[in-house]
Amino acid sequence: MGRACTVTQAATALGLGVTATYKLVQRYVRLGLVWESHCEERAGRALRFYQAPPAFYVPFSVRPFEEMGRLNRAAQLHEFEQNLQRAMNTRAWTQWGTLTCATPAGDWYYEFVSQDGRIFQPQADDSPRILAGWNRVSLTSAEAQTLQQQLLALVRPYFNRPEQGETYQLGVFLSPERVQ
């Protein structure tokens, strides 16, 4: 987005096949979401460069949310797992492992535990900088709205800043399990 590239360059950047990317580009050209910015003549076939604006609206009827969400979650989950693995392979974690537990309701969870039985306390000053977990919480609609606002207020100051120090990956997910 925001720069011109060929279909082959876009396919490589997106991890898609050239044919699939070409079909998407043609579809987006018809919808006015992408345009041919310039063409470079060469022996054989000319190189056509396409460009998209730095931001644009795509209705869910064109690209369903579940498709976009699935691809985004898969990429983010893979990156998260790689980053978590790298963090766990540092010297700070050599004496740690996981303790798998069950709640009275039957949900499974795990705790980071040291070999001598200490449970990892992320709020401790000397703890490694990591916080991971999927948590189910029972909330009213008003509580969910309040939590959403609190989470946004918590992370918003850190968005779009110039890089300073280390880079951390943060994922926050709040969604009802069953829509009424």
Side-chain angles (χ1 to χ4, degrees):
M1 291 175 50
R3 65 177 181 86
C5 65
T6 66
V7 169
T8 302
Q9 291 168 333
T12 300
L14 297 170
L16 299 172
V18 174
T19 302
T21 304
Y22 177 78
K23 289 178 182 178
L24 283 172
V25 167
Q26 294 308 305
R27 183 178 184 189
Y28 291 164
V29 165
R30 283 192 306 277
L31 292 167
L33 300 171
V34 172
W35 61 89
E36 185 177 323
S37 63
H38 65 281
C39 183
E40 291 180 7
E41 296 298 328
R42 64 178 187 161
R45 191 178 296 184
L47 282 177
R48 298 185 185 284
F49 287 78
Y50 297 89
Q51 186 167 346
F56 57 85
Y57 169 79
V58 178
F60 290 138
S61 61
V62 174
R63 179 129 195 210
F65 179 76
E66 59 271 14
E67 176 186 341
M68 188 176 66
R70 183 180 65 251
L71 294 172
N72 185 48
R73 284 188 307 277
Q76 295 300 320
L77 180 60
H78 179 71
E79 185 177 340
F80 167 76
E81 288 172 344
Q82 286 182 323
N83 289 336
L84 182 59
Q85 181 65 34
R86 278 192 290 275
M88 300 309 273
N89 284 336
T90 64
R91 191 173 63 81
W93 289 97
T94 57
Q95 302 298 312
W96 291 82
T98 58
L99 177 65
T100 304
C101 310
T103 66
D107 291 327
W108 291 94
Y109 70 98
Y110 64 90
E111 295 277 4
F112 295 144
V113 180
S114 68
Q115 288 179 345
D116 61 2
R118 287 179 295 123
I119 294 176
F120 173 65
Q121 299 294 323
Q123 64 272 37
D125 289 339
D126 62 344
S127 73
R129 300 296 173 240
I130 187 170
L131 178 63
W134 293 97
N135 301 290
R136 285 195 170 123
V137 291
S138 179
L139 304 170
T140 66
S141 179
E143 290 170 327
Q145 181 178 15
T146 299
L147 179 57
Q148 178 185 33
Q149 292 167 350
Q150 291 170 336
L151 290 170
L152 284 170
L154 179 68
V155 298
R156 188 172 281 136
Y158 303 99
F159 290 160
N160 303 315
R161 294 181 356 167
E163 287 192 27
Q164 305 171 23
E166 297 179 67
T167 300
Y168 290 83
Q169 183 178 21
L170 172 68
V172 177
F173 183 78
L174 175 67
S175 175
E177 287 190 319
R178 292 175 292 282
V179 177
Q180 308 253 341

